[in-house]
Amino acid sequence: MITLAIDIGGTKLAAALTDAQQQIIERRTLPTPASKTPAALREGLNTLIAPFIGRMQRVAVASTGIIRHGVLTALNPDNLGGLAQFPLTETITQLTGLPCLAVNDAQAAAWAEYKALPGGIRDMAFITVSTGVGGGIICNGKLVSGTQGLAGHIGHTLADPHGPLCGCGRTGCVEAIASGRGIAALATDDLSGMNAQEIYALSLNGHAQATRLIQQSARTIARLIADLKASYDCQYVVLGGSVGLASGYLPLVTSFLSQEPAAFHTTIIAAHYQHDAGLLGAALLSEGY
Ligand code: ADP
Ligand code: BMX
Ligand code: ZN
């Protein structure tokens, strides 16, 4: 069966046709509509999907935000605002005439990455450091999504009680410090107005403030990983997202984690499926749907 997998992120929309072996046949990417209204998202999805119409039998979506019964709600409206109660699966079904499954992006990615790990692993976490910081928890071999779909939203755990206000309404969340949007928002002086990709590139060239911001992000993710290890003894943590996969970021996180006591250490690896983990996880989860 051919599945159209869609990944809705705070920065980009991706779509890929996948075959029964979960191989990507064809893909495309568009920027997430700047005006994050329901009408703009619907139009963006329509444009994304149009070239694939008639070529698949079902649709599987991995999306940023809380997904409950196919409905998308932003936990952090700064990342995908104006979308209280966006009828995601209903919209896709209207656009394609096909059945659609929708799952949170990091939860979907966690499932794909868990399946790619060596056998015998029962407990792992996936962390995406991207527009936001998302998480997917696999506990005792099962994907944990929670009764309200909130499980794994570890980007909104406390990193610093005196830290910046997060778009979710809490203060000092991991996401407000470590995410791409957080890094950009904390930048001052000559870095003001730059995005995380630009700041990251400058950090690789030794720019002092850029280096501090990236190190602060990586240290915050390392502490989050220590907290996860303490919470449920996860054997692996898999890092994804464009910041998480950027050159040198994972070694930085590993080095900050090594400064924590040994009991809190765990193995950190880069996403096997790189930027496609969400797409492939949604396709996998839609099997038998
Ligand atoms: P999404 O959040 O839509 O899934 P990404 O995973 O690409 O998308 O994350 C987007 C964030 O990553 C943005 O803040 C962007 O500035 C940043 N980013 C993109 N490419 C890079 C890169 N090569 N190095 C560091 N940061 C990057
Ligand atoms: C936010 C939240 C999560 C998401 C995470 C990563 C929203 C809109 N999203 O914490 O549901 O998993 O960002 O999302 O509230 P991404 O866009 O960075 O991939
Ligand atoms: Zn938050």
Side-chain angles (χ1 to χ4, degrees), residues 75-76 155-157 166-176:
L75 178 61
N76 182 349
H156 303 280
T157 55
C166 180
C168 76
R170 302 190 75 195
T171 297
C173 288
V174 167
E175 179 162 301

Side-chain angles (χ1 to χ4, degrees), residues 92-183:
I92 303 275
T93 296
Q94 281 169 6
L95 295 174
T96 61
L98 294 172
C100 175
L101 171 77
V103 193
N104 168 268
D105 55 357
Q107 291 173 1
W111 189 243
E113 292 297 328
Y114 172 65
K115 291 289 182 185
L117 285 179
I121 307 295
R122 303 293 291 164
D123 303 300
M124 65 80 86
F126 174 83
I127 302 177
T128 172
V129 189
S130 36
T131 310
V133 171
I137 306 289
I138 307 291
C139 186
N140 201 18
K142 297 216 156 58
L143 174 65
V144 185
S145 41
T147 52
Q148 305 298 310
L150 186 66
H153 277 79
I154 49 182
H156 303 280
T157 55
L158 181 67
D160 175 4
H162 307 292
L165 188 64
C166 180
C168 76
R170 302 190 75 195
T171 297
C173 288
V174 167
E175 179 162 301
I177 298 167
S179 69
R181 189 176 271 271
I183 292 166

